[in-house]
Amino acid sequence: MARRRVESGVRFVQVFSAKGQPWDHHSGLRENLPIMCAATDLPSTGLIKDLKSRGLLDSTVVLWAGEFGRMPVAQGGTGRDHNKRAGSLWLAGGGFKGGTIHGETDDVGFTVVKDRFSMPDMFATILHQLGLDHRKLKFKHSGRFENASDDVVTGAHIHRDIIQSRMYI
């Protein structure tokens, strides 16, 4: 369905798991994580292969991410708590370099130790790929103008080392 929407010209498509927010494994990680991986790996791969086979992957950014990074521990002992310091996501298509690994955490995944890629950096980089300047895309919020990357506060920047080519839509 996502591929058909892209083919018909829909510019932004967001796909959720049928199970709502199933990645919030504060408990039952050993039982539930394999189930979610099995339920999402094949469809995610299928979407990318579908887009590629139809020549749409070069002009489509695919972002796969959860709500937070995950801690290497949990208070309950059978899951993982939220981690605002480090997380993982992947990007495909849209001019991003395939097979590129950017960033590194410490040995237990608690904090970033190399090549931090913050959420504002992610917005700046994706907007760049869409042909938009993250500093100029502004909206009014609580009486002041802000932008998606909040670059004045965060110092967000475009990570050109993960980009293969510039994509314009």
Side-chain angles (χ1 to χ4, degrees), residues 138-141 143-147:
K138 299 194 181 291
F139 57 93
K140 197 167 189 176
H141 177 253
R144 74 177 186 106
F145 283 98
E146 297 183 25
N147 61 31

Side-chain angles (χ1 to χ4, degrees), residues 47-164:
L47 173 60
I48 291 169
K49 286 182 173 182
D50 243 4
L51 292 169
K52 187 173 184 176
S53 73
R54 289 169 169 76
L56 295 168
L57 190 58
D58 291 339
S59 61
T60 304
V61 173
V62 179
L63 165 67
W64 199 105
E67 62 170 338
F68 288 99
R70 304 308 278 185
M71 297 287 279
V73 296
Q75 292 173 336
T78 64
R80 298 187 310 167
D81 288 333
H82 296 165
N83 186 354
K84 67 179 183 178
R85 292 177 192 88
S88 57
L89 59 86
W90 56 258
L91 292 156
F96 288 98
K97 290 181 185 174
T100 301
I101 296 172
H102 181 86
E104 188 177 319
T105 64
D106 59 13
D107 289 341
V108 295
F110 182 69
T111 193
V112 176
V113 295
K114 182 180 174 189
D115 296 330
R116 185 172 185 265
F117 187 66
S118 67
M119 287 296 116
D121 290 348
M122 180 195 71
F123 286 122
T125 305
I126 290 174
L127 289 170
H128 170 78
Q129 288 304 95
L130 298 175
L132 300 169
D133 185 337
H134 68 103
R135 297 162 300 197
K136 293 180 180 175
L137 186 64
K138 299 194 181 291
F139 57 93
K140 197 167 189 176
H141 177 253
S142 296
R144 74 177 186 106
F145 283 98
E146 297 183 25
N147 61 31
S149 64
D150 202 15
D151 69 299
V152 173
V153 174
T154 65
H157 68 280
I158 298 163
H159 285 259
R160 297 180 192 282
D161 54 330
I162 65 172
I163 296 171
Q164 177 177 306

Side-chain angles (χ1 to χ4, degrees), residues 21-50:
Q21 175 40 298
W23 295 100
D24 209 12
H25 297 125
H26 290 281
S27 62
L29 183 67
R30 287 182 193 260
E31 301 82 25
N32 296 320
L33 185 60
I35 293 167
M36 284 312 304
C37 290
T40 58
D41 284 354
L42 189 60
S44 298
T45 302
L47 173 60
I48 291 169
K49 286 182 173 182
D50 243 4

